[in-house]
Amino acid sequence: MVIGAAARVAIGGCRKLVSSHTSLLLVSSQCRQMSMDAQSVSEKLRSSGLLRTQGLIGGKWLDSYDNKTIKVNNPATGEIIADVACMGTKETNDAIASSYEAFTSWSRLTAGERSKVLRRWYDLLIAHKEELGQLITLEQGKPLKEAIGEVAYGASFIEYYAEEAKRVYGDIIPPNLSDRRLLVLKQPVGVVGAITPWNFPLAMITRKVGPALASGCTVVVKPSELTPLTALAAAELALQAGVPPGALNVVMGNAPEIGDALLTSPQVRKITFTGSTAVGKKLMAAAAPTVKKVSLELGGNAPSIVFDDADLDVAVKGTLAAKFRNSGQTCVCANRVLVQDGIYDKFAEAFSEAVQKLEVGDGFRDGTTQGPLINDAAVQKVETFVQDAVSKGAKIIIGGKRHSLGMTFYEPTVIRDVSDNMIMSKEEIFGPVAPLIRFKTEEDAIRIANDTIAGLAAYIFTNSVQRSWRVFEALEYGLVGVNEGLISTEVAPFGGVKQSGLGREGSKYGMDEYLEIKYVCLGDMNRH
Ligand code: NAP
């Protein structure tokens, strides 16, 4: 039994505490009241075969070559949940080789055959949604209800692309010469490297793997070292569904080594990444020597714009949802709340009252709406941003400090009188802090909203149809919610402009990211 937070030390490239054995280390919570303790959750997961600690390479569950492991802990309690294999260059090369081999047979299946496998995977994800949700709460911290919601959302990409697999149409082009016939085929790109973050341990993977497998690609997934358990459980269900050996591999551990192996291999034809803008830029540069296709889902700095003519309740509810989901740790979280002069004070009061009602606690406790932040570095970042804003004249309405629960819990916070010289106006807060910025005119709102290098999500609250059209057309963002704070769905394209990324995920557009276009010209067609 191991109790206590894992020390963050660098050994062999794995950032967390590393040990030489791979056994599962289970502890029960002694620090905090939980409605369902970690022990019973872990037992259930183990008995369903979903608590995996090895990497998946070529259809086999494997330790790392040097037996190094990495500890995964529960951010709400610091308890160590499991020791998982800490992999690097060698294991990634093995995974690439197995994916490359599997590509030949997987890509030659009919779309209908691949579709059936994906459909079975979807059914299994849904059948295990409680356990998967518990796993997400255990390693990521979000409230169980939200975690189960992520499972449904994550699984929806597998269902959607099971259906979409059958709709990859080519084209017949009217020829330029009478003895020619011209056609276009859409074919799978090849082996895909998929690197994903910790904030949505399942959905960020299925959003990539769904369209990749559906189109006939094979994949090497690298989940975050902070949340590998959900990825491994999903992969176990993929195997049960009939995804063949090598078509889906999972390696985790030394991120730079795994990244380098994926990026330098000429066999990997595409890199798809969700994570920070800084890492995304590095990966994009490193993909250049082998001219890989690249899709990037990076950071945001979303404005939520509340106009004088907004319905106050709708604006409060929508901004609350956009800001505080996952304790503010999503790329589409409202990062700046822009409020027009005439409604500013009323909105500040009503919004703060709503934020006051949020329940901070362990994700397993009934009623919790705000879990912990992922780690102490995340809390320190939030603290720095808040101190900076206050030192430059912003005023805290509620919150503004670590929560009395300790660990990485932070009080849901509303700050008013925030201006554009403060760090939180410019950078992603990634925590439960809502800065209120005052504006006078529609033109001001658009200018402030667009004054950022990011361009992922934006939200508008107004009762004027004309205004909403003017503003959403002018916003330099990939996604816009009008009178709505939760807009992500598998049927619509998700992605950013400017430095928030390249490409789209979800919807019919998400499939294109995994397809190459081949033009075929048939000549000498008039010969009998
Ligand atoms: P991150 O630090 O960039 O990490 C993302 C992934 O990249 C993790 O798997 C990480 O591995 C890996 N990684 C880190 N350095 C690497 C390297 N040198 N080579 C290869 N891989 C490397 O981001 P995060 O903190 O996990 O996630 C939060 C960020 O993701 C935020 O900026 C958020 O806005 C963004 N995000 C964007 C979207 C979107 O759709 N646009 C969605 C969700 C999140 P380890 O964790 O193992 O180190």
Side-chain angles (χ1 to χ4, degrees):
M1 299 284 248
V2 177
I3 295 188
R8 303 282 294 186
V9 292
I11 304 174
C14 296
R15 279 194 278 137
K16 287 199 208 166
L17 190 68
V18 172
S19 70
S20 60
H21 60 102
T22 56
S23 63
L24 205 60
L25 301 168
L26 302 175
V27 290
S28 61
S29 170
Q30 299 188 341
C31 350
R32 214 169 305 288
Q33 278 277 301
M34 288 204 258
S35 64
M36 188 186 327
D37 70 19
Q39 185 82 43
S40 80
V41 169
S42 305
E43 295 288 322
K44 261 180 45 196
L45 290 164
R46 199 164 32 164
S47 64
S48 61
L50 292 182
L51 204 46
R52 290 276 169 192
T53 57
Q54 296 165 300
L56 178 64
I57 299 174
K60 296 199 179 82
W61 293 105
L62 298 172
D63 291 327
S64 58
Y65 276 114
D66 55 12
N67 283 328
K68 278 188 179 147
T69 60
I70 185 166
K71 293 195 185 306
V72 181
N73 64 319
N74 175 348
T77 63
E79 300 162 321
I80 292 161
I81 311 159
D83 256 356
V84 302
C86 177
M87 299 179 149
T89 309
K90 271 170 127 181
E91 297 86 351
T92 309
N93 286 335
D94 292 348
I96 294 168
S98 83
S99 246
Y100 190 71
E101 200 186 322
F103 177 71
T104 310
S105 47
W106 179 251
S107 60
R108 283 186 191 154
L109 292 181
T110 65
E113 286 165 332
R114 287 197 298 271
S115 170
K116 283 196 181 78
V117 174
L118 286 173
R119 179 72 211 190
R120 280 199 295 272
W121 190 16
Y122 165 76
D123 288 341
L124 285 168
L125 289 167
I126 294 299
H128 292 280
K129 78 171 182 227
E130 301 283 331
E131 295 106 300
L132 290 168
Q134 289 163 0
L135 205 43
I136 291 173
T137 298
L138 258 189
E139 64 176 349
Q140 199 273 340
K142 66 180 67 170
L144 185 57
K145 195 169 157 210
E146 208 174 311
I148 292 172
E150 182 186 336
V151 180
Y153 174 58
S156 72
F157 290 99
I158 304 301
E159 182 187 44
Y160 182 87
Y161 286 106
E163 294 155 355
E164 206 59 14
K166 294 180 254 178
R167 289 190 271 274
V168 177
Y169 303 122
D171 265 321
I172 303 288
I173 299 174
N176 56 334
L177 296 172
S178 65
D179 71 339
R180 287 185 172 184
R181 296 296 177 268
L182 313 182
L183 56 106
V184 170
L185 299 182
K186 288 193 183 169
Q187 295 181 308
V189 168
V191 175
V192 173
I195 303 176
T196 57
W198 50 265
N199 63 343
F200 288 91
L202 181 71
M204 295 304 101
I205 292 175
T206 53
R207 218 160 69 163
K208 300 177 186 311
V209 176
L213 290 180
S215 62
C217 296
T218 52
V219 195
V220 178
V221 174
K222 192 215 89 63
S224 168
E225 63 168 358
L226 301 172
T227 56
L229 299 174
T230 308
L232 296 171
E236 164 62 31
L237 294 173
L239 288 183
Q240 290 178 23
V243 172
L248 175 63
N249 300 277
V250 184
V251 290
M252 63 269 150
N254 186 328
E257 270 193 31
I258 295 170
D260 282 354
L262 290 170
L263 286 155
T264 52
S265 167
Q267 291 182 331
V268 176
R269 294 306 319 134
K270 178 179 173 88
I271 290 290
T272 170
F273 171 77
T274 298
S276 62
T277 306
V279 173
K281 287 178 183 177
K282 275 194 214 165
L283 301 185
M284 190 176 173
T290 49
V291 194
K292 293 189 202 316
K293 267 181 171 295
V294 178
S295 296
L296 301 171
E297 295 285 352
L298 310 177
N301 180 2
S304 178
I305 310 173
V306 181
F307 289 99
D308 283 347
D309 60 9
D311 179 309
L312 186 63
D313 290 343
V314 171
V316 167
K317 193 165 155 255
T319 304
L320 193 73
K323 173 70 244 182
F324 289 95
R325 186 160 68 116
N326 204 5
S327 299
Q329 302 173 108
T330 87
C331 51
V332 290
C333 272
N335 204 59
R336 297 168 291 159
V337 185
L338 314 185
V339 192
Q340 201 165 9
D341 237 359
I343 199 174
Y344 191 92
D345 291 326
K346 266 196 282 182
F347 179 85
E349 193 186 335
F351 186 64
S352 302
E353 267 173 30
V355 172
Q356 190 83 59
K357 291 185 189 136
L358 295 173
E359 287 261 356
V360 179
D362 191 300
F364 285 111
R365 195 176 60 89
D366 284 343
T368 293
T369 56
Q370 297 286 290
L373 299 195
I374 190 69
N375 55 24
D376 206 61
V379 185
Q380 283 175 29
K381 180 181 173 193
V382 170
E383 285 180 320
T384 309
F385 282 26
V386 170
Q387 277 158 18
D388 170 77
V390 171
S391 74
K392 291 171 182 163
K395 293 182 193 64
I396 293 170
I397 305 180
I398 54 165
K401 58 183 189 305
R402 285 177 186 252
H403 196 276
S404 57
L405 282 171
M407 294 301 301
T408 56
F409 291 96
Y410 196 87
E411 290 181 351
T413 298
V414 183
I415 307 189
R416 60 179 293 154
D417 302 337
V418 170
S419 54
D420 59 7
N421 64 338
M422 300 172 187
I423 305 174
M424 61 175 65
S425 307
K426 299 183 172 67
E427 292 179 28
E428 229 180 0
I429 304 166
F430 239 57
V433 176
L436 307 189
I437 299 169
R438 192 187 287 267
F439 71 89
K440 285 198 164 63
T441 65
E442 188 179 302
E443 291 69 31
D444 285 345
I446 293 166
R447 180 184 47 75
I448 298 167
N450 287 341
D451 184 21
T452 167
I453 58 164
L456 188 57
Y459 307 91
I460 312 168
F461 294 91
T462 173
N463 273 339
S464 159
V465 175
Q466 292 84 350
R467 186 196 289 274
S468 70
W469 272 86
R470 279 194 305 271
V471 177
F472 73 61
E473 282 182 354
L475 286 172
E476 297 164 354
Y477 287 83
L479 321 165
V480 183
V482 180
N483 295 323
E484 180 54 65
L486 296 176
I487 60 174
S488 303
T489 157
E490 79 281 10
V491 301
F494 187 105
V497 302
K498 291 159 85 175
Q499 295 183 30
S500 284
L502 293 175
R504 293 294 180 271
E505 293 190 330
S507 80
K508 64 175 183 173
Y509 304 101
M511 197 75 163
D512 294 339
E513 306 285 326
Y514 298 90
L515 293 166
E516 290 284 12
I517 287 178
K518 184 181 282 174
Y519 155 57
V520 181
C521 172
L522 303 175
D524 194 22
M525 292 295 285
N526 290 341
R527 183 148 48 98
H528 290 279

